[in-house]
Amino acid sequence: MSLEQQPVKEHRRTRQRAAVDEVLEETEDFISAQDLHAILRSRGMSVGLATVYRTLQTLADNGDVDVLHTAGGEAAYRRCAREGHHHHLVCRSCKATVEVAGPAVERWTSSVAKEHGYTDVAHTLEIFGTCPRCAQG
Amino acid sequence: MSLEQQPVKEHRRTRQRAAVDEVLEETEDFISAQDLHAILRSRGMSVGLATVYRTLQTLADNGDVDVLHTAGGEAAYRRCAREGHHHHLVCRSCKATVEVAGPAVERWTSSVAKEHGYTDVAHTLEIFGTCPRCAQG
DNA sequence: CCCAATTTTGACAATCGTTGTCAGTTTTCA
DNA sequence: TGAAAACTGACAACGATTGTCAAAATTGGG
Ligand SMILES: [Zn+2]
Ligand SMILES: [Zn+2]
Ligand SMILES: [Zn+2]
Ligand SMILES: [Zn+2]
């Protein structure tokens, strides 16, 4: 067995990371690296695109933000309120997100996996739909 | 029986499509467009990469094959035995796939969506793990 | 069988999100 | 304060996928 410690990669406090953090903090919905970078630029904050990518990647690795892969194949990030494992109900058009927990689903996935002898199990689950606001207004 | 109008985009029978179909038919696990193309080439069957992409895309659109987005961000395709809506338990290393149905999950996702007023709901759910064979040998 | 309309093909360029490079900059801490 | 260590950013590189468009193949008549 290999006991893996959490990879605390974020050691140093830099203005770039603070900037990314700030945007994440005030952004309610999932946002892509590119979009976050655009926001920073529009605010006159100069942060390299690569740095934005790296920072988000690290935050995701450390579990500080959730990652979602959109239909278009791009990664979107979000700092969620809920702490433990959970999933998302996301509006296809405006990205409005609801955090949802489904203990039954978690149990089901592990039982299915175990049933077939699969180990080291993980799963991805996202629910997409049209939110009430976008549905009609 | 329910009459569902299928977008029959595949009109013509060409050797290229037959070739792609053949590989899909004999391939048990999910396979990417690139890998399928490589197999065709290795067999001396000349089929353009773009054609492989287009063919798989069309098959997926018509619901003839299932699509899976791997961790590496590439699409993988599979002709499944099960007909209705279902999910997959996939081995991370060898791609060995088990088709699974989870009526409870389906119910849960729609109830959660309805609960928050979301409509036109869909969901993605994939279970990843290490299959028994890869686990030890 | 032959043809013209229509669809499909494939080599190649182009796009797009993302990662690698690496010299110069910043942070940390002894 | 003085490095060692981590971080940054401009830019190149990358890999998967899509767009282009002339040439080739399929189809349904005639
Ligand atoms: Zn979340
Ligand atoms: Zn919405
Ligand atoms: Zn399937
Ligand atoms: Zn396996």
Side-chain angles (χ1 to χ4, degrees):
Chain A
M1 305 284 181
S2 60
L3 299 181
E4 296 194 17
Q5 305 296 355
Q6 18 235 45
V8 184
K9 293 180 180 177
E10 297 235 349
H11 288 118
R12 307 188 169 178
R13 267 55 82 53
T14 67
R15 72 169 179 79
Q16 290 86 347
R17 288 177 185 181
V20 170
D21 269 348
E22 194 183 315
V23 174
L24 283 174
E25 210 59 58
E26 65 192 47
T27 302
E28 181 69 16
D29 306 327
F30 277 91
I31 184 173
S32 71
Q34 307 260 11
D35 287 350
L36 201 158
H37 179 247
I39 289 179
L40 289 176
R41 303 223 79 184
S42 75
R43 292 183 185 176
M45 311 194 69
S46 173
V47 178
L49 179 57
T51 299
V52 173
Y53 269 103
R54 277 187 300 239
T55 303
L56 288 173
Q57 187 64 62
T58 304
L59 286 172
D61 288 348
N62 291 6
D64 295 326
V65 298
D66 282 359
V67 192
L68 171 68
H69 286 86
T70 72
E74 58 188 333
Y77 304 83
R78 180 177 194 266
R79 189 178 290 281
C80 288
R82 201 179 293 250
E83 292 198 1
H85 176 82
H86 61 268
H87 299 283
H88 309 99
L89 170 58
V90 186
C91 174
R92 257 185 295 263
S93 56
C94 76
K95 299 282 175 60
T97 302
V98 178
E99 300 173 26
V100 295
V105 176
E106 310 301 328
R107 266 181 266 116
W108 177 72
T109 56
S110 26
S111 91
V112 163
K114 179 178 298 181
E115 197 175 306
H116 291 87
Y118 280 57
T119 52
D120 193 20
V121 186
H123 62 268
T124 64
L125 166 57
E126 303 291 346
I127 311 175
F128 297 97
T130 303
C131 77
R133 195 181 315 186
C134 287
Q136 206 263 350
Chain B
M1 297 310 160
S2 64
L3 299 180
E4 47 180 275
Q5 50 172 6
Q6 297 203 355
V8 184
K9 292 180 180 177
E10 298 232 351
H11 287 119
R12 305 189 171 181
R13 270 59 83 50
T14 65
R15 73 170 178 78
Q16 289 87 343
R17 289 177 184 178
V20 170
D21 269 348
E22 194 184 316
V23 174
L24 283 174
E25 210 60 57
E26 65 193 47
T27 303
E28 181 69 17
D29 307 326
F30 277 92
I31 185 173
S32 70
Q34 306 262 10
D35 287 352
L36 200 157
H37 179 247
I39 288 179
L40 289 176
R41 301 223 79 183
S42 75
R43 293 186 184 175
M45 311 194 69
S46 174
V47 178
L49 179 57
T51 299
V52 172
Y53 269 102
R54 276 185 303 238
T55 304
L56 289 173
Q57 187 64 62
T58 304
L59 287 172
D61 289 348
N62 291 8
D64 295 325
V65 298
D66 282 359
V67 192
L68 172 68
H69 286 87
T70 72
E74 56 187 336
Y77 305 81
R78 180 177 194 265
R79 188 178 291 279
C80 288
R82 201 180 291 252
E83 292 199 1
H85 176 82
H86 62 269
H87 298 282
H88 309 100
L89 169 58
V90 186
C91 174
R92 258 185 295 263
S93 56
C94 76
K95 300 281 174 58
T97 302
V98 178
E99 301 173 27
V100 295
V105 176
E106 310 302 328
R107 267 181 264 115
W108 178 73
T109 56
S110 23
S111 91
V112 163
K114 180 178 296 180
E115 195 176 307
H116 291 88
Y118 281 57
T119 52
D120 193 20
V121 186
H123 63 268
T124 63
L125 167 57
E126 301 291 347
I127 310 176
F128 297 97
T130 304
C131 77
R133 195 182 314 185
C134 287
Q136 204 262 357

